Amino acid sequence: MTRTEPADTPLGDDFHLYDTTLRDGAQREGISYSVTDKLAVARLLDELGVGFIEGGWPGAMPKDTEFFARAARGELSLKHAALVAFGSTRKAGTTAAEDVQVRGLLDSLAPVVTLVAKSDRRHIERALRVDVDEACAMVRDTVSFLVGEGRRVFLDAEHFFDGYAFDPDTALRVLRAGGEAGADVVVLCDTNGGQLPLQLAETVREVAERTGLRLGIHCQDDTSCAVGNTIAAVQAGATHAQCTANGYGERAGNADLFAVTGNLVAKLGMEVLPTGGAAELTRVSHAIAEIANIAPDTHQAYVGTSAFAHKAGLHASAIKVDPLLYNHIDPASVGNDMRVLVTEMAGRASLELKGRELGVDLASQPDALTSAVRKVKSLEAQGWSFEAADASLELLLRREVDGPQRDVLDEPPFVLESYRVVLDHRAGGEVSSEATVKVHVSGHRVIATAEGNGPVHALDAALREALTPHLSWLDTVELADYKVRILPGHPGTDAVTRVLVETSDGRSEWTTVGVHENIVEASWLALCDALVHKSLRTAVMDR
Amino acid sequence: MTRTEPADTPLGDDFHLYDTTLRDGAQREGISYSVTDKLAVARLLDELGVGFIEGGWPGAMPKDTEFFARAARGELSLKHAALVAFGSTRKAGTTAAEDVQVRGLLDSLAPVVTLVAKSDRRHIERALRVDVDEACAMVRDTVSFLVGEGRRVFLDAEHFFDGYAFDPDTALRVLRAGGEAGADVVVLCDTNGGQLPLQLAETVREVAERTGLRLGIHCQDDTSCAVGNTIAAVQAGATHAQCTANGYGERAGNADLFAVTGNLVAKLGMEVLPTGGAAELTRVSHAIAEIANIAPDTHQAYVGTSAFAHKAGLHASAIKVDPLLYNHIDPASVGNDMRVLVTEMAGRASLELKGRELGVDLASQPDALTSAVRKVKSLEAQGWSFEAADASLELLLRREVDGPQRDVLDEPPFVLESYRVVLDHRAGGEVSSEATVKVHVSGHRVIATAEGNGPVHALDAALREALTPHLSWLDTVELADYKVRILPGHPGTDAVTRVLVETSDGRSEWTTVGVHENIVEASWLALCDALVHKSLRTAVMDR
């Protein structure tokens, strides 16, 4: 792996889409990647087509050392990206060649190295405890040593914007030390994330003029402006943008790679990805969220499941005529979909549109549409809500229309006879949940019992226990998220419980809904829909 | 309620912090406020000190009509904000005075009205199906009619930026029609959310010059730049910023009120809130998330629990020496905290203050305060939240201090031996819930069984069955509300369920909290706290 430039992107080395999900992004609270996770994330980023993948800090973090070792052994074969090792300039009072941490960067065999250096005089003096001369020498020595060893080097100027505001001369001296020693890009880092777009653009423009160096940008999201700041910096002359997948990062996070890329491609017309790359944005975003074990942000720009969801029944008929009047881009261009949310405000037009989106043709079957509208309205009056439960809505619609999948719906994969859940708080204080289900599946009557953390978990476990021997596809299916909402009753009626279940088979997620006055029954209804929906998909693929 | 200007903010009417959480923010997928919820959100926004609260669309939405009616009847007494009704310009081919929807705006009695008007010629012609002359007449007529009726009027120019790019003359004609008819502010709306900060600022500057009108800004987050765009617009001359709490809104959402306010106050030095308002940002953000039943975004700028969280290690000691070198602002200035897993409740000072509010004197017992802070932090790390559960917090605090009510806490009104809940879905489809409790009360061991709609209802019924003969005050006590939130587990731990129970005795209500991986046990913990709290009150009154 000796690539030091992005491959196959129209802009080539002229623009660097630089990803640091695996290093700076891993600072996010709650994220802890295994080495295998890191390799999987790197492969996804390469499929998207970013130019640089920063894999970690070899030498400093054992997992990162192993990541680079396995990558070098051939476990990571990158088609588009160059692999980058992150590290620090040498310590004070030694040489770069003798510095163990710097040697670790060489030993990683990464062809590109990004070095972090302090550029705020207060940090140099108070945290590093050296003077500016020594700080510049540390930069110069380390950069020229690594360049001499055949590495391409970028320099991250930490706390640059705060440092430049406090003492511009020091900040510029650090940049120049890096540039003169052979760093190809000096990256202006808003480490504390306090910048706003207009001033930041002004600073980038000024620094470009004063130094003539190739500039990069690295933004944190503490003002909720990381994406806007990154784009503003590019417009002001930066040609290297550091981002993280889904904006993962310390505190409020980093600039979201997917929003930055979407903006560069769709708004500024910059071809920063290989052909077809943009259409992978949504898939790669969700797959990385899965590996990071963080629920995808449904409202994330460009790639969120709600990013192109329209609630207003008001506009539904206009949207049908001309969707681009109501979307800022074509959702398909980033691999996403437009969704119409079915709510109380919904009428015929939006349900028909929704059907089209779900692959159910209601336009040609007006009676089915009438009946579906009536059912949705009646269920919504009872507390059901389909706006976040596409899979349940799809089942409802398919039950209304004639079509090739009727047989699956008419003969569901399993039929419940009964269940019983027992919850005990024993005299000793121990709490337990146990569920027994009796179901008919593939011609058998099966009884199974399982325990769980709570009633729904026990019921889900018992159902799997009963069905897995008979339904092979159930193996990959798991409950990904579970939400509960108690809905106040209308006068004269009791409160009901609405449960949303998100299910995953590792490749996609779908959401189902159940409503009942009893929370366990509501959960049961949603669980059943989730499995019927999966069996429908499986049946279609088998054909 | 006749206020039409912000009260008590240093900037007064010169700058409008305008909130549309209750109208545009309610378009977010999954949000469904009751009228009571809406009133509670409005009160929180007023406590923060926003200048304008848009309450909804009276006449068009029954809940919104009721909201304004109840506000007008005195249920909403605003200290800082002016109340705004949102609506549309008159229909084509009628007069404003005869338009039912426009009359609905008057009937709401809101002193301020924001009218939405289309300013993109394509929308005017294809969605509205009128020509530009008629579109301008619709604006002019409706604005002047409402101004004539004594209302202050703002005009939301929908799809302004796309419209201005497509046909600037039409877009400007619509603005001028509003301004000439008496609208105080014309609001440039990035309805599709496709703008980026630098261009948007350029457009705002240009429109200000060309029209001389007072400009507002309304941004959607489809490029992940809503906050940056809003701030850029303000720097370019807009003096009215429309936002929603936590950025709730359709698709990717709106500009987050808390990030925009944080940036205006902390970065631009604009005093848009009353004195002390900024320190309420975090509390109000979390309280509104609770009402919306949406888990707070832990990584939200300024107000997220991780917004000032630093991973230990590298920087920890340096942070201790000089925290401002590592934080873009002082977290306390927005009511947040630098530590991880700490809410506003967990600080010593605020817990002492909260104790005073609840009648528990912690100031004179520093050891008890230390111990209480430790317990609250530890419970919050496990998923407990006392923000909305004063009664549980009061019990926790009273257990720490010496005082006249210790005897009640040391000898609680009842002690649980065990419970069992059985949930059945029988072969015939019938669903039932039955609970048995074994408790010790007034020297007796009592066993009681009862049925209910669901597990918690059955448990509550069995407990009453057991206790009522022995505790006379239980008669008046009933479960008034019940909320459930599933909290995702940290890596390596299971999800937990948090239950909030609101209990009433006909004279007052109190809220308690329970957290457990098993929803029924979590509910049990909250139910027990509710009854112990009532017995404490009863014991005090008996003295």
Side-chain angles (χ1 to χ4, degrees):
Chain A
M1 202 148 28
T2 53
R3 182 184 305 124
T4 60
E5 297 190 358
D8 295 331
T9 65
L11 285 173
D13 201 51
D14 291 346
F15 189 86
H16 295 175
L17 195 60
Y18 182 109
D19 180 274
T20 178
T21 302
L22 295 174
R23 202 270 311 166
D24 213 25
Q27 297 286 316
R28 178 179 161 125
E29 228 183 307
I31 283 189
S32 170
Y33 297 117
S34 68
V35 176
T36 307
D37 288 341
K38 296 189 75 152
L39 290 165
V41 169
R43 285 183 201 110
L44 285 161
L45 292 166
D46 189 53
E47 286 168 24
L48 179 65
V50 304
F52 296 89
I53 297 172
E54 190 178 275
W57 192 335
M61 312 274 284
K63 264 189 213 167
D64 291 1
T65 309
E66 189 188 334
F67 168 83
F68 283 99
R70 286 173 61 177
R73 281 205 306 268
E75 282 193 56
L76 189 63
S77 159
L78 300 176
K79 292 189 301 285
H80 301 296
L83 189 63
V84 186
F86 175 89
S88 174
T89 53
R90 69 158 172 83
K91 282 201 178 129
T94 179
T95 68
E98 283 164 351
D99 188 297
V100 177
Q101 185 264 147
V102 176
R103 293 234 64 107
L105 298 174
L106 278 187
D107 294 345
S108 76
L109 302 180
V112 183
V113 174
T114 294
L115 288 174
V116 62
K118 296 199 185 298
S119 57
D120 181 328
R121 184 153 62 78
R122 293 163 298 186
H123 285 266
I124 290 171
E125 292 171 352
R126 290 190 226 166
L128 217 52
R129 291 163 197 271
V130 298
D131 62 17
V132 175
D133 286 344
E134 174 63 6
C136 289
M138 287 157 67
V139 169
R140 213 161 25 235
D141 291 358
T142 319
V143 171
S144 54
F145 172 72
L146 289 170
V147 169
E149 294 285 336
R151 301 302 189 273
R152 185 177 194 183
V153 177
F154 303 145
L155 187 77
D156 271 6
E158 207 187 23
H159 295 287
F160 178 81
F161 292 92
D162 298 330
Y164 186 78
F166 176 72
D167 175 3
D169 289 342
T170 294
L172 294 179
R173 274 186 67 192
V174 172
L175 297 187
R176 288 188 183 116
E180 286 160 13
D184 269 348
V185 181
V186 292
V187 183
L188 313 184
C189 299
D190 183 19
T191 309
N192 287 354
Q195 293 294 305
L196 299 174
L198 299 188
Q199 289 92 324
L200 179 132
E202 203 45 59
T203 303
V204 171
R205 222 172 273 126
E206 201 175 290
V207 171
E209 274 168 26
R210 291 180 70 176
T211 65
L213 294 168
R214 179 171 186 176
L215 300 184
I217 184 73
H218 174 119
C219 294
Q220 302 287 135
D221 205 27
D222 299 76
T223 59
S224 204
C225 293
V227 171
N229 284 342
T230 302
I231 298 298
V234 170
Q235 293 178 295
T239 57
H240 167 119
Q242 299 193 348
C243 307
T244 66
N246 304 320
Y248 297 150
E250 203 175 22
R251 305 190 312 276
N254 289 45
D256 173 19
L257 173 70
F258 307 115
V260 167
T261 305
N263 287 333
L264 292 175
V265 172
K267 303 296 172 184
L268 304 184
M270 294 173 63
E271 300 185 83
V272 299
L273 292 179
T275 310
E280 298 293 315
L281 284 168
T282 300
R283 178 181 71 85
V284 170
S285 163
H286 289 238
I288 292 178
E290 193 68 40
I291 295 169
N293 198 22
I294 289 175
D297 175 5
T298 50
H299 292 68
Q300 196 171 342
Y302 289 98
V303 298
T305 51
S306 298
F308 300 95
H310 295 267
K311 193 172 189 175
L314 194 63
H315 294 150
S317 50
I319 289 174
K320 207 161 61 168
V321 176
D322 202 344
L324 278 179
L325 283 184
Y326 294 87
N327 289 319
H328 72 116
I329 57 160
D330 174 8
S333 68
V334 292
N336 210 337
D337 285 314
M338 185 169 88
R339 291 170 56 225
V340 176
L341 302 173
V342 175
T343 70
E344 294 155 74
M345 288 180 275
R348 262 185 102 80
S350 44
L351 203 60
E352 186 193 320
L353 199 65
K354 186 74 201 177
R356 196 189 302 171
E357 177 195 321
L358 295 172
V360 186
D361 176 22
L362 291 159
S364 65
Q365 302 187 44
D367 291 350
L369 179 55
T370 304
S371 166
V373 169
R374 198 181 306 123
K375 279 205 180 144
V376 168
K377 282 196 176 158
S378 147
L379 285 169
E380 284 187 333
Q382 296 164 47
W384 293 69
S385 166
F386 293 100
E387 70 178 57
D390 275 0
S392 286
L393 183 65
E394 184 185 335
L395 292 180
L396 184 150
L397 297 182
R398 287 202 189 284
R399 287 192 179 106
E400 293 303 320
V401 299
D402 294 324
Q405 292 164 350
R406 282 309 305 252
D407 49 341
V408 184
L409 292 165
D410 292 342
E411 277 186 49
F414 66 93
V415 174
L416 177 75
E417 181 182 311
S418 67
Y419 67 69
R420 164 171 289 186
V421 181
V422 180
L423 305 160
D424 268 312
H425 178 125
R426 301 215 175 77
E430 191 199 343
V431 179
S432 74
S433 308
E434 182 188 291
T436 299
V437 297
K438 301 179 185 176
V439 294
H440 298 264
V441 56
S442 309
H444 304 268
R445 176 169 184 266
V446 184
I447 302 183
T449 298
E451 293 179 316
N453 289 337
V456 178
H457 185 213
L459 198 55
D460 181 56
L463 190 60
R464 279 160 194 289
E465 181 80 16
L467 300 183
T468 307
H470 302 278
L471 303 174
S472 59
W473 49 259
L474 198 61
D475 244 359
T476 59
V477 173
E478 58 180 29
L479 203 151
D481 200 10
Y482 175 77
K483 284 184 184 150
V484 175
R485 174 119 212 200
I486 311 292
L487 306 167
H490 303 288
T493 69
D494 288 311
V496 295
T497 301
R498 180 164 70 213
V499 167
L500 287 172
V501 164
E502 189 185 312
T503 312
S504 169
D505 61 6
R507 281 184 304 186
S508 64
E509 297 92 42
W510 59 99
T511 303
T512 51
V513 60
V515 173
H516 197 271
E517 55 188 18
N518 182 324
I519 185 175
V520 174
E521 179 69 9
S523 308
W524 171 262
L525 295 171
L527 284 175
C528 287
D529 259 14
L531 297 188
V532 172
H533 188 266
K534 170 67 184 176
S535 75
L536 203 72
R537 284 274 170 282
T538 309
V540 170
M541 286 194 301
D542 286 351
R543 272 167 198 169
Chain B
M1 200 148 29
T2 53
R3 182 184 306 125
T4 60
E5 299 191 355
D8 296 333
T9 65
L11 286 172
D13 202 50
D14 291 346
F15 190 87
H16 294 174
L17 194 60
Y18 181 109
D19 181 274
T20 176
T21 302
L22 294 174
R23 202 269 312 166
D24 212 25
Q27 296 285 318
R28 178 179 161 125
E29 205 178 335
I31 283 187
S32 169
Y33 297 117
S34 68
V35 177
T36 307
D37 288 341
K38 296 189 76 152
L39 290 164
V41 169
R43 285 182 201 111
L44 284 162
L45 292 166
D46 189 54
E47 287 170 22
L48 179 65
V50 305
F52 296 88
I53 297 172
E54 192 179 273
W57 192 335
M61 312 275 285
K63 266 187 211 168
D64 291 0
T65 310
E66 189 188 334
F67 168 84
F68 284 99
R70 287 173 61 176
R73 281 206 305 270
E75 284 194 55
L76 189 62
S77 158
L78 300 176
K79 292 189 302 285
H80 301 295
L83 189 64
V84 186
F86 176 90
S88 175
T89 53
R90 69 158 171 83
K91 283 201 176 127
T94 178
T95 68
E98 282 164 352
D99 188 295
V100 178
Q101 185 264 144
V102 175
R103 295 233 62 105
L105 298 174
L106 279 187
D107 294 344
S108 76
L109 302 180
V112 184
V113 174
T114 293
L115 288 174
V116 63
K118 298 201 185 293
S119 57
D120 181 328
R121 184 154 60 80
R122 294 164 297 186
H123 284 266
I124 289 171
E125 291 171 353
R126 291 192 227 163
L128 218 51
R129 292 164 196 273
V130 299
D131 63 19
V132 175
D133 285 343
E134 173 64 4
C136 289
M138 287 157 68
V139 169
R140 211 162 26 236
D141 291 357
T142 319
V143 171
S144 55
F145 171 72
L146 289 170
V147 169
E149 294 286 337
R151 301 301 190 271
R152 185 178 193 183
V153 177
F154 304 145
L155 187 76
D156 272 5
E158 207 187 23
H159 295 286
F160 178 81
F161 292 92
D162 298 331
Y164 186 77
F166 176 73
D167 175 3
D169 288 340
T170 295
L172 295 179
R173 275 186 66 192
V174 172
L175 297 187
R176 289 190 183 112
E180 285 159 13
D184 270 348
V185 181
V186 292
V187 183
L188 313 184
C189 299
D190 183 20
T191 308
N192 287 353
Q195 294 294 304
L196 299 174
L198 300 188
Q199 289 91 325
L200 179 132
E202 203 46 58
T203 303
V204 171
R205 221 172 273 125
E206 202 173 289
V207 172
E209 274 168 26
R210 292 180 69 176
T211 65
L213 295 168
R214 180 173 184 173
L215 301 184
I217 184 74
H218 174 119
C219 295
Q220 301 287 135
D221 204 28
D222 299 76
T223 59
S224 203
C225 293
V227 171
N229 283 343
T230 303
I231 297 298
V234 171
Q235 293 178 297
T239 57
H240 167 118
Q242 298 193 349
C243 308
T244 66
N246 305 321
Y248 297 150
E250 203 175 23
R251 306 190 312 277
N254 290 44
D256 172 20
L257 173 70
F258 307 115
V260 167
T261 305
N263 287 333
L264 292 175
V265 173
K267 304 294 172 186
L268 303 184
M270 293 174 62
E271 300 185 83
V272 298
L273 292 178
T275 310
E280 298 293 313
L281 285 167
T282 301
R283 178 180 72 86
V284 170
S285 163
H286 290 234
I288 291 178
E290 194 66 43
I291 294 168
N293 200 20
I294 289 175
D297 174 5
T298 51
H299 292 69
Q300 196 172 343
Y302 289 98
V303 299
T305 52
S306 298
F308 300 96
H310 295 267
K311 271 201 175 171
L314 200 60
H315 296 150
S317 54
I319 290 174
K320 227 187 289 180
V321 176
D322 203 344
L324 279 178
L325 284 182
Y326 295 87
N327 288 320
H328 71 116
I329 58 158
D330 174 8
S333 69
V334 292
N336 210 335
D337 204 306
M338 193 166 95
R339 283 159 297 169
V340 184
L341 292 172
V342 169
T343 72
E344 56 275 19
M345 209 48 88
R348 240 185 124 78
S350 48
L351 202 60
E352 187 191 318
L353 201 66
K354 189 76 198 172
R356 200 185 304 166
E357 181 194 322
L358 296 171
V360 186
D361 176 22
L362 291 158
S364 65
Q365 303 187 42
D367 291 350
L369 179 54
T370 303
S371 167
V373 169
R374 198 180 307 125
K375 280 204 180 139
V376 169
K377 280 189 186 169
S378 150
L379 286 169
E380 285 185 336
Q382 296 164 45
W384 293 69
S385 165
F386 294 99
E387 265 169 47
D390 275 1
S392 285
L393 183 63
E394 184 185 336
L395 292 180
L396 184 150
L397 297 182
R398 286 203 190 284
R399 287 191 178 109
E400 294 302 321
V401 300
D402 295 324
Q405 293 164 349
R406 283 308 306 252
D407 50 340
V408 183
L409 293 165
D410 292 341
E411 277 185 49
F414 67 93
V415 173
L416 175 75
E417 183 182 310
S418 66
Y419 67 69
R420 162 171 292 185
V421 180
V422 180
L423 304 160
D424 269 310
H425 178 123
R426 301 215 175 75
E430 190 199 343
V431 178
S432 74
S433 308
E434 182 188 291
T436 300
V437 298
K438 302 179 183 175
V439 294
H440 298 263
V441 55
S442 308
H444 303 269
R445 177 169 183 264
V446 184
I447 302 182
T449 297
E451 293 180 314
N453 288 339
V456 178
H457 186 213
L459 198 55
D460 182 56
L463 191 60
R464 281 160 193 289
E465 180 80 17
L467 300 183
T468 308
H470 303 278
L471 304 173
S472 59
W473 49 259
L474 200 60
D475 246 357
T476 59
V477 173
E478 60 180 26
L479 203 150
D481 197 13
Y482 176 77
K483 282 185 181 150
V484 176
R485 161 82 49 84
I486 312 290
L487 306 168
H490 303 287
T493 69
D494 288 311
V496 297
T497 302
R498 181 165 69 213
V499 166
L500 287 172
V501 164
E502 191 183 312
T503 313
S504 168
D505 60 6
R507 282 183 303 184
S508 64
E509 293 89 40
W510 59 99
T511 303
T512 51
V513 59
V515 173
H516 197 271
E517 58 186 18
N518 184 322
I519 186 175
V520 174
E521 178 69 9
S523 308
W524 170 261
L525 294 171
L527 285 175
C528 287
D529 259 14
L531 297 189
V532 172
H533 188 267
K534 171 65 182 175
S535 76
L536 203 71
R537 283 274 170 283
T538 308
V540 171
M541 286 193 302
D542 285 352
R543 275 169 195 165

